Amino acid sequence: GMSAVMLQERLVGYKEKLEHSVKTPRFGEVLQAAIQKEVRLAKEELQAGGGLGGPQSADEMEGLKQENGQLRQEVTIRMEELKRLEEQNRRLQSQGMANAEGRGSSEMTSLREQCANHAKERTALKTILESKIRTLVDGIQTSLKDVPDAQMHPRLSREVQALDKLVNATVNAMRTTSTPQN
């Protein structure tokens, strides 16, 4: 049969496992399985007639009972703590998801507003380039042709032509990149 010393060794082993198993994510399941296994083994041994063997002394038996009671209390406390922590974890995860969704939604709204503002600014710049600056460049080219000694300043003529090409290229680039691409 099982002696009191062996029983005490098992209890000490379970106490150590209990202290270390709290750190595992499936603590409750592991602990419950270990307790069920020990109860089943003890029942089988008792049914087989082995019994626990006689206690070494009444004091030893009382000590084992107290230790068993303490272990049961500790298991109960740990199980309650585990349930509390699991509930807190679920609550924090749901709050985190709600906060992330709200934050994502407001960020998305902000980005959409920024895109709309940029599109408006782009349209305004394209309009200014097409209607105002191109008109000014055309006016300068026409005026330059009317100047009697314009041939004396070939650099001025080249720079006005370069400015005209730059304005046209910019307007064309803004047209092609502002059309939605699917």
Side-chain angles (χ1 to χ4, degrees):
M2 185 182 299
S3 72
V5 172
M6 289 174 57
L7 181 60
Q8 186 172 6
E9 287 173 358
R10 277 187 172 173
L11 288 174
V12 168
Y14 282 123
K15 184 175 183 181
E16 290 172 359
K17 285 181 184 178
L18 175 65
E19 290 170 354
H20 295 295
S21 66
V22 171
K23 299 174 186 168
T24 65
R26 298 178 342 153
F27 165 71
E29 296 171 24
V30 171
L31 184 61
Q32 187 175 12
I35 290 171
Q36 287 174 349
K37 179 181 176 186
E38 189 59 35
V39 168
R40 183 179 46 80
L41 289 174
K43 282 182 181 178
E44 287 174 2
E45 195 169 319
L46 285 173
Q47 288 173 352
L52 294 176
Q56 301 291 326
S57 69
D59 288 340
E60 188 177 353
M61 187 63 168
E62 187 59 35
L64 290 175
K65 285 181 181 178
Q66 286 179 355
E67 193 171 343
N68 185 15
Q70 290 171 353
L71 284 174
R72 287 178 183 266
Q73 285 178 342
E74 193 169 332
V75 166
T76 303
I77 290 168
R78 300 285 178 159
M79 292 296 285
E80 289 171 358
E81 183 179 351
L82 177 66
K83 287 178 185 177
R84 183 186 59 77
L85 289 172
E86 286 173 343
E87 178 57 36
Q88 182 181 11
N89 186 25
R90 277 191 292 277
R91 189 178 66 250
L92 290 172
Q93 284 180 346
S94 66
Q95 286 175 353
M97 294 297 283
N99 288 343
E101 288 172 2
R103 195 170 46 250
S105 175
S106 66
E107 286 177 16
M108 186 63 81
T109 301
S110 173
L111 289 173
R112 283 189 179 124
E113 288 173 358
Q114 286 178 7
C115 284
N117 287 338
H118 289 312
K120 289 176 186 175
E121 290 173 4
R122 182 184 196 90
T123 302
L125 285 173
K126 190 171 68 114
T127 302
I128 291 169
L129 281 170
E130 284 177 322
S131 64
K132 303 291 182 188
I133 296 180
R134 182 179 284 161
T135 304
L136 288 172
V137 171
D138 289 345
I140 292 171
Q141 282 180 327
T142 304
S143 297
L144 194 59
K145 289 177 187 173
D146 292 342
V147 173
D149 293 330
Q151 291 80 16
M152 300 291 283
H153 304 287
R155 182 175 175 197
L156 180 61
S157 180
R158 280 193 315 266
E159 297 219 358
V160 170
Q161 286 176 348
L163 181 61
D164 185 46
K165 288 180 184 179
L166 181 63
V167 169
N168 287 331
T170 304
V171 169
N172 288 334
M174 291 179 91
R175 273 192 197 131
T176 59
T177 59
S178 66
T179 56
Q181 297 175 354
N182 295 331

